[in-house]
Amino acid sequence: MNIVTCFKIVPDDTLIKIVGDKLDLNVPPKISTYDKNAIEEGIRIKEKYGGKAIGVTAGNTDRKSIREALAMGLDEVIAINMKEQDVMTTAEAIAETISSIKPDIILTGEATTDSSTSVFSSYLASLLNYPVVTYAKSISIEGNKVRVERNLTTFQEIVETDLPSIISVVGEINTPRIPSVKQILESSKKPVKNIDYNKQPRVKIVNVSPYVIIRKKIVIEGKMEEAVDKLLNYLSQEGVL
Amino acid sequence: MKIIAYSEDIDYIKTAVSYFPNEYVVGISNKTTKVVDELHLLDDVNEEFIANYIASLKPDVVVTGSTKRDKTVAGAVAGLLRYPIITDVIDLSGNKAKRIVYSGMGIAEIEFSYPVVLTVSKKNIEIKEKESKIIQVKTEMRRVRRVEIKSKGESSVDLSSAQIIVSVGRGIGNKENIKYAEELAKALGGALGGSRPVTAELGWLPEDRQIGLSGNKVKPKLYIALGISGQPQHLAGIKDAKIIVAVNKDKSAPIVENADYIIIGDAIEFCKAMTEKVKKK
């Protein structure tokens, strides 16, 4: 089985800080949170059904993050260096790169933590003419059939489709493994193929400003009984109770 | 311009129409509405079918809602048409759009060119009704076949319109303790919600109660966060709350910086005291 996992390297969202009227994005990169679940799921499918697990990343090609993905258990990574990207150009770059691999299954995370669009998997599916199933919380494969339990927030849906297909996974599908020291050392021997892709996106971010709501931050001190009394006072002054 | 507005939730179609008030808008939905010029009424939601159906109409602009299924359709349509796509648009004028990025930390200003596929965030807008021509559309299953729908239980509430929300995080301790938050919510006449860890991960509350960027975005008058640390993804879902109260043992938790009133202490003790006092009022 040819398994392809798409992952994105993004600024660590837990370290991004607001400095004045700007967002400080000069923070260490990381593999986007749910893309790690996609990598883990790809490795698990490989372990169960055999084959090759290939990672594809586009945009930032931070070497350390790629090493981490390899140390987790991917066999190789294709790193597409893109200076500018949007969903469309990213999907085009990846579709072009992986069409010759003829993947049986392509995995992505439900969303990345930088742009959180959630539409990459279905965009790529249309380009490759694969069926797509989004928001998978469990995947089971039997022969050529894949059965997916989807989390659609207000309800759950179980669907079936045939391989080859594209599946985006939610964070709850698994717990990504933490590679051992040995795996980290061995990852340096695994192949990384670098590609440059330059195409001007038609969607351009011209500015990013902090999204902040100024809150009052009033800390209510005292014993719980008194604190609750004070809070109730504040809330009735606010007109919300 | 040929504009198509698709969503499984009419409020998104209203939002889409509000951005294009002077254009002829073709609505596509499984729900009826009279805010579009022409409505293609679907008998079911099948994302693959709908994406192909929309693409076959050769639109210049496709605007969809931002439910998980809406977004799946939007991505697929954009790929079929080879159009660029911008999701979760909170503001749109001409060829400029705004959307939330970096897990709710930033607002991006975007420039784009038409044709385009957009998914919009919900706005509370009333649109004047008109005579919509209705065309019935029979959906069909294609490569992805639905086997089963596990619907939410009857206890579910609409968090997106709740005025008071009591919300629990991992700091509540365990599943049993949630009853204290539930009693408080009941006493306040509010709804009960939870963070991603307690809903999707731990299952202490049903998944449809999840509040945050990837769950329900809420806009209550009063939001009480119990034992919620306040990760960016959670904060992004409660930015529109008028007043946020945080009860947390950890005074360095991010929620403290993002709340109006903060009580440093035990969430269960708080629930008991607050429930009693509210009942007496």
Side-chain angles (χ1 to χ4, degrees), chain B residues 77-89:
Chain B
V77 169
L80 289 169
L81 295 168
R82 290 267 184 150
Y83 288 179
I85 179 165
I86 309 167
T87 66
D88 308 278
V89 170

Side-chain angles (χ1 to χ4, degrees), chain B residues 50-69:
Chain B
I50 296 166
N52 280 282
Y53 183 78
I54 295 172
S56 74
L57 299 173
K58 308 228 176 321
D60 300 300
V61 183
V62 179
V63 189
T64 80
S66 294
T67 71
K68 288 177 172 175
R69 293 198 291 189

Side-chain angles (χ1 to χ4, degrees), chain A residues 134-135 150-157, chain B residues 47 68-69 72:
Chain A
T134 50
Y135 305 98
R150 304 176 73 195
N151 176 5
L152 297 168
T153 308
T154 51
F155 65 97
Q156 322 284 313
E157 182 186 63
Chain B
E47 294 139 281
K68 288 177 172 175
R69 293 198 291 189
T72 307

Side-chain angles (χ1 to χ4, degrees), chain B residues 126-139:
Chain B
E126 277 316 308
I127 301 287
K128 232 172 99 187
E129 295 197 343
K130 46 181 126 181
E131 278 299 311
S132 306
K133 186 172 105 185
I134 293 182
I135 297 165
Q136 304 278 348
V137 181
K138 191 164 169 35
T139 59

Side-chain angles (χ1 to χ4, degrees), chain A residues 1-5 38-55 69-76 104-105 107 139 141 177 183 190:
Chain A
M1 180 127 57
N2 272 335
I3 305 149
V4 166
T5 296
I39 294 171
E40 174 67 31
E41 198 62 20
I43 298 163
R44 288 187 191 191
I45 291 170
K46 180 202 149 156
E47 285 168 349
K48 205 162 168 193
Y49 304 98
K52 198 171 180 188
I54 302 164
L70 290 167
M72 280 177 75
L74 292 178
D75 296 302
E76 63 172 80
D104 297 296
I105 188 163
L107 299 160
I139 299 172
I141 300 170
R177 68 193 69 189
Q183 285 167 321
K190 291 183 174 178

Side-chain angles (χ1 to χ4, degrees), chain A residues 216-221 234, chain B residues 251 256 260-264:
Chain A
K216 298 192 178 80
K217 296 182 221 175
I218 297 172
V219 178
I220 304 172
E221 313 268 0
Y234 280 122
Chain B
K251 57 173 180 261
V256 172
D260 296 289
Y261 300 101
I262 301 114
I263 293 179
I264 304 297

